[in-house]
Amino acid sequence: MAVVSMTVNGKPVSVETEDRTLLVYFLREQLRLTGTHIGCDTSQCGACVVHVDGKAVKSCSMFAVQAEGANVLTIEGLAKDGKLHPVQEAFRDNHGLQCGFCTPGMIMTAVDMIRRKPKLDRNTIRHELEGNICRCTGYHNIVSSIEDAAKRMSGATS
Amino acid sequence: MITYPFKYKRAKSVADAEALMKAAPDGKLLAGGQTLIAAMKMRLASPSDLVDISGLKELSYIRVANGVVAIGAGATHFEVAASSEVARAIPALAYLASIIGDPAVRHKGTLGGSVANNDPAADYPAAVLGLNATIKTNKRSIASDAFFTGMFSTALGEGEIITEVSFPIPLKASYQKFPNPASRYAMAGVFLARTKDGVRVAVTGAGPCVFRVPAMEAALAKGFTPDAIAGITIPADGLNSDIHGSAEYRAHLVGVMAKRAVAEAA
Ligand SMILES: Cc1cc2nc3c(=O)[nH]c(=O)nc-3n(C[C@H](O)[C@H](O)[C@H](O)COP(=O)(O)OP(=O)(O)OC[C@H]3O[C@@H](n4cnc5c(N)ncnc54)[C@H](O)[C@@H]3O)c2cc1C
Ligand code: FES
Ligand code: FES
């Protein structure tokens, strides 16, 4: 057991945890930030994607102690002052979700993707989503949501 | 999925990691964790100590000089894929890094971890062997031909730490991968390099360990066209056979990927 300190969604946190606690359990069970989901045992589904120091990572595939001193952003930290993030807005407007289980990971992946590649075509979006699995939508509307969000965020109207 | 308990130690330097590994009863190095943590979650691995070398500045660099691309073991797949220097010197290497797994895996996974792990279907081993790279460790330098010794096994000794892989810049190279659509690992991948000394053809995914194809190398040294290797068949004996594809299927794929690589590097 050790006290781990990091910044989560802009707030400093210091919590005692076991060395073997995965970041995803630390967020969900110790911080009660249950927006980050667990969808698999094999690092393949992407439901657990969060940003650590500005990069999308699978929070089921790192330990909380490794995030000591880091800046962590989860789905709960995206909306500002009651206003959804443009990617969240775009998912709502384009029916980018059905059951919503994969959505937090999809959105965190999308935000990271748009930051790295502001100009996105549908083919690139599909490749960038290789680490995120959705059992419901057939991906079509997820791709449309991200395409729309990228346009909105670059200031262009679609 | 909870791992067995272990002690976590963050190394301050390679020398510190060496000392921490020596002091641990059954220590393991932790780099990107994209293979090791998954194995620990499945309880296939239960190290007493994890010595974290991720983020060590000393290990994360990319230098291109004197005809060699030298990459620190801690460079992530993302960093190698995004490096304009690597893209200029050996475009096939930057491309290879850009198609490993998915973006989140590439943000964490490292060159050193991939090479040390020597997964039969991993991408980097094909580039290391195909480009005749040298693996540098905290103790010595190892030639690629002597490094990959079998399925998940390498010439690395107990606690030995890869610090760098240096890739000689070829005249031309190509990596052609037929990915498993579910896992993204290679069903068969061929890394082909043309240098002034000849041609090297390295195959990953198809067998228990990355291997070269001397018959193709000899044929391509005489005439560098896809037709030059059209008649060469890879024996299916000993190749991987699983629910994703039979050994015969993989043997055929190697030929197809090799011809594509020749076409690209011509
Ligand atoms: C969903 C998913 C998809 C993937 N797809 C692919 C793919 O398409 N192609 C592919 O090639 N790989 C793929 N991978 C594996 C990925 O590339 C890993 O990052 C890589 O195999 C291991 O690197 P790592 O830095 O994560 O190592 P770790 O998991 O931290 O370590 C792996 C092993 O290497 C040892 N090690 C680490 N660094 C060193 C060092 N410097 N010196 C000596 N030993 C060391 C560790 O002790 C451990 O035994 C995938 C992984 C996931 C989760
Ligand atoms: S829960 Fe992390 S990838 Fe599936
Ligand atoms: S919306 Fe149900 S899993 Fe994606």
Side-chain angles (χ1 to χ4, degrees):
Chain A
M1 296 284 266
V3 174
V4 181
S5 304
M6 64 185 89
T7 305
V8 178
N9 300 332
K11 289 192 212 77
V13 298
S14 281
V15 178
E16 189 170 39
T17 196
E18 279 188 84
D19 285 3
R20 63 174 169 170
T21 306
L22 294 164
L23 180 59
V24 70
Y25 290 121
F26 182 79
L27 294 169
R28 286 179 56 83
E29 293 175 9
Q30 296 195 260
L31 303 185
R32 305 303 297 166
L33 292 169
T34 54
T36 302
H37 291 166
I38 302 170
C40 73
D41 293 337
T42 50
S43 310
Q44 281 174 326
C45 76
C48 64
V49 169
V50 301
H51 297 185
V52 175
D53 290 331
K55 289 197 178 79
V57 301
K58 293 175 176 174
S59 61
C60 71
S61 301
M62 71 181 280
F63 296 107
V65 279
Q66 292 185 277
E68 170 72 36
N71 213 326
V72 177
L73 181 68
T74 72
I75 189 74
E76 288 91 346
L78 276 188
K80 289 268 154 10
D81 306 322
K83 204 174 159 342
L84 292 181
H85 185 281
V87 177
Q88 292 173 307
E89 285 284 2
F91 268 71
R92 185 168 71 179
D93 294 347
N94 292 279
H95 298 282
L97 60 147
Q98 287 184 23
C99 79
F101 194 86
C102 69
T103 314
M106 288 287 175
I107 290 180
M108 297 313 285
T109 298
V111 172
D112 175 76
M113 175 192 320
I114 295 169
R115 181 163 47 224
R116 281 184 289 112
K117 302 184 172 172
K119 284 216 173 71
L120 281 167
D121 57 57
R122 296 184 72 88
N123 192 35
T124 309
I125 295 170
R126 284 184 179 272
H127 279 295
E128 287 279 331
L129 285 179
E130 265 158 12
N132 294 77
I133 294 173
C134 176
R135 301 303 305 269
C136 304
T137 67
Y139 301 97
H140 183 85
N141 286 354
I142 294 177
V143 175
S144 300
S145 303
I146 298 174
E147 195 180 26
D148 187 20
K151 276 189 197 139
R152 291 184 199 196
M153 289 169 74
S154 70
T157 45
S158 49
Chain B
M1 296 252 107
I2 314 261
T3 71
Y4 287 112
F6 60 86
K7 290 202 194 75
Y8 174 84
K9 311 254 166 73
R10 191 193 285 250
K12 291 181 199 71
S13 64
V14 173
D16 187 31
E18 202 176 322
L20 289 169
M21 284 292 284
K22 228 175 244 152
D26 185 18
K28 261 209 170 289
L29 297 165
L30 175 66
Q34 300 302 289
T35 294
L36 180 55
I37 294 178
M40 289 173 67
K41 282 163 67 181
M42 298 295 187
R43 302 204 160 190
L44 298 171
S46 56
S48 63
D49 296 62
L50 280 188
V51 175
D52 193 351
I53 54 169
S54 67
L56 280 184
K57 284 273 171 308
E58 201 184 334
L59 291 180
S60 55
Y61 58 85
I62 297 175
R63 288 184 208 123
V64 181
N66 308 321
V68 167
V69 175
I71 305 182
T76 61
H77 309 331
F78 175 75
E79 286 160 352
V80 174
S83 160
S84 53
E85 278 190 294
V86 177
R88 253 193 318 272
I90 316 180
L93 185 60
Y95 167 72
L96 175 146
S98 81
I99 57 168
I100 295 175
D102 57 62
V105 168
R106 294 194 286 273
H107 279 150
K108 300 275 310 166
T110 67
L111 170 61
S114 176
V115 172
N117 195 52
N118 193 20
D119 187 302
D123 296 300
Y124 265 129
V128 170
L129 190 61
L131 289 165
N132 196 13
T134 301
I135 293 97
K136 296 195 175 140
T137 75
N138 54 336
K139 298 204 167 75
R140 57 192 168 138
S141 289
I142 309 168
S144 66
D145 282 314
F147 185 82
F148 302 104
T149 51
M151 190 161 158
F152 292 110
S153 75
T154 67
L156 290 173
E158 202 62 46
E160 192 168 359
I161 305 170
I162 302 179
T163 54
E164 179 187 291
V165 181
S166 59
F167 300 90
I169 300 173
L171 299 172
K172 269 216 159 151
S174 172
Y175 182 56
Q176 298 295 325
K177 171 183 182 178
F178 191 92
N180 175 320
S183 77
R184 306 287 156 205
Y185 278 95
M187 295 276 297
V190 171
F191 199 104
L192 179 148
R194 277 175 93 177
T195 68
K196 57 176 178 18
D197 302 325
V199 181
R200 286 171 73 103
V201 179
V203 176
T204 190
C209 176
V210 62
F211 62 91
R212 288 171 65 189
V213 189
M216 287 187 179
E217 294 177 356
L220 290 166
K222 287 197 205 104
F224 199 83
T225 64
D227 283 345
I229 54 168
I232 298 173
T233 45
I234 304 287
D237 278 356
L239 294 190
N240 303 335
S241 200
D242 54 29
I243 54 163
H244 308 297
S246 63
E248 290 73 23
Y249 179 70
R250 282 187 166 86
H252 178 72
L253 267 185
V254 171
V256 176
M257 293 300 116
K259 275 181 262 171
R260 287 187 192 169
V262 175
E264 192 186 70

